[in-house]
Amino acid sequence: KKVSLLLPKLPVLISESNICTQIQTDKYAVYADDVVYGLNISSKLDEKVPDFCSPKKEFDENSFKFRVNEVKNQLKTSESKKVKINNLEAEFIKGDLLNYWLVNDYKNKQWFELWTANSDENRKEVKDFLSSINLGGGKFGIDIEEGSLGNKGDLNSDSLDKIFVKREGGKTTGIQLISKSSPKYTDQARKNNIQGNVTLRVTFLENGGIGSISPVSGLPDGLTEQAIASARKIMFLPARKNDYKYSVTKTIQYSFTLY
């Protein structure tokens, strides 16, 4: 996509496509120091919208406006404002937990979404993140390619048992899921018409990374492995109790349905 961006570490990549809206979206996300940073790149699919789609929404100049309204609904706000990030005009939408900056590039049949979770837009790291975007490609950096195989959290933390977070009071909060992708079907599973659920026990570490994953119930033909691969890329904010982050193990379910 010839895009360069400053990120604290190699992000995970989740690719999704919606043939009924002619949109392919590549979602990059990374956890660092209690903040999740993300970049979504949405572009036009070359495939035509099939007749079975209802409703049919071909990619056009209204696709970006539709996405802006979709983000507003997600963040439960009706407000947005125009801002500049590295000389690019962006639509800024502020939520309680998530903030979005959407940049339209319709002449190239695409748009970009920079977003953060659990951080104020005035934080230095966030400002550096925003101001680093370059749509012409950068002269330095590395090729993300397929990205990281999983969310590893802050591996350089001094303590994996207790990471102090400066917050008022002794409030206890569970993990907050930021992004969770749908696993891919394998060709063999499609051929054999395999459908159902995969249930996993996933450990959400206090350092913001994904720990051990074990199947509770699985499916054949590689679907259990696909669910595990997706679970490794979950982005979340760690659970907290008495101002300390702590690890929790939860049950996560993935559904596989053929249409």
Side-chain angles (χ1 to χ4, degrees), residues 182-186 221-231 254 256:
S182 299
K184 297 179 180 179
Y185 248 102
T186 62
D221 295 336
L223 295 186
T224 298
E225 290 76 11
Q226 288 295 324
I228 291 173
S230 291
Y254 291 94
F256 292 86

Side-chain angles (χ1 to χ4, degrees), residues 8 30-37 116-119 123 126 154 237:
V30 62
Y31 174 95
D33 193 22
D34 214 28
V35 178
V36 180
Y37 300 85
T116 61
N118 200 40
S119 183
R123 178 172 173 165
V126 173
D154 289 329
L237 299 175

Side-chain angles (χ1 to χ4, degrees), residues 23-26 40-44 59 109-111 113:
I23 295 175
Q24 162 77 30
T25 303
D26 294 321
N40 301 346
I41 305 176
S42 295
S43 54
K44 181 181 179 181
F59 189 101
K109 300 298 186 290
Q110 61 188 357
W111 72 79
E113 303 172 14

Side-chain angles (χ1 to χ4, degrees), residues 6-259:
L6 176 65
L7 292 169
K9 64 186 76 167
L10 190 67
V12 301
L13 167 61
I14 298 168
S15 295
E16 300 174 345
S17 60
N18 187 335
I19 196 171
C20 291
T21 59
Q22 279 189 312
I23 295 175
Q24 162 77 30
T25 303
D26 294 321
K27 301 179 179 181
Y28 301 90
V30 62
Y31 174 95
D33 193 22
D34 214 28
V35 178
V36 180
Y37 300 85
L39 168 67
N40 301 346
I41 305 176
S42 295
S43 54
K44 181 181 179 181
L45 283 171
D46 292 333
E47 302 173 64
K48 291 184 178 180
V49 178
D51 291 334
F52 64 75
C53 289
S54 179
K56 295 174 65 174
K57 293 182 179 179
E58 294 184 351
F59 189 101
D60 58 21
E61 58 273 358
N62 292 316
S63 298
F64 178 75
K65 296 178 183 178
F66 179 83
R67 176 56 182 160
V68 169
N69 289 329
E70 190 176 55
V71 173
K72 286 181 180 179
N73 290 334
Q74 176 190 344
L75 302 188
K76 298 179 180 179
T77 180
S78 60
E79 297 181 0
S80 66
K81 65 179 181 180
K82 303 287 186 182
V83 297
K84 288 277 189 178
I85 53 173
N86 201 16
N87 295 320
L88 297 171
E89 185 176 276
E91 196 87 18
F92 175 52
I93 307 172
K94 184 177 179 61
D96 293 334
L97 182 65
L98 289 159
N99 291 335
Y100 272 79
W101 294 260
L102 298 94
V103 178
N104 196 5
D105 185 23
Y106 182 68
K107 69 176 182 179
N108 292 310
K109 300 298 186 290
Q110 61 188 357
W111 72 79
F112 304 87
E113 303 172 14
L114 291 88
W115 55 271
T116 61
N118 200 40
S119 183
D120 185 88
E121 66 269 23
N122 295 314
R123 178 172 173 165
K124 180 184 182 301
E125 290 83 357
V126 173
K127 286 185 174 181
D128 291 343
F129 164 68
L130 295 173
S131 64
S132 70
I133 188 169
N134 186 332
L135 302 190
K139 295 181 179 179
F140 59 91
I142 62 172
D143 191 338
I144 289 176
E145 297 180 343
E146 295 302 314
S148 174
L149 293 178
N151 174 15
K152 300 177 181 178
D154 289 329
L155 298 182
N156 61 343
S157 298
D158 294 333
S159 170
L160 293 181
D161 294 323
K162 287 188 176 181
I163 303 174
F164 183 72
V165 180
K166 213 171 183 181
R167 288 176 180 264
E168 296 181 2
K171 184 179 179 181
T172 299
T173 57
I175 65 166
Q176 293 176 281
L177 287 179
I178 303 301
S179 66
K180 175 175 175 276
S181 66
S182 299
K184 297 179 180 179
Y185 248 102
T186 62
D187 291 338
Q188 191 63 36
R190 288 185 181 277
K191 179 180 178 181
N192 293 331
N193 197 34
I194 303 297
Q195 301 187 76
N197 299 322
V198 173
T199 303
L200 306 173
R201 285 180 60 81
V202 181
T203 298
F204 297 85
L205 297 173
E206 64 269 40
N207 72 338
I210 299 295
S212 63
I213 301 175
S214 59
V216 177
S217 62
L219 291 172
D221 295 336
L223 295 186
T224 298
E225 290 76 11
Q226 288 295 324
I228 291 173
S230 291
R232 294 197 186 282
K233 294 185 177 183
I234 292 176
M235 289 290 151
F236 69 100
L237 299 175
R240 293 178 176 82
K241 185 176 183 179
N242 296 328
D243 293 332
Y244 287 90
K245 300 178 186 177
Y246 67 97
S247 299
V248 295
T249 299
K250 289 186 170 293
T251 299
I252 300 291
Q253 189 174 81
Y254 291 94
S255 297
F256 292 86
T257 305
L258 290 170
Y259 296 97

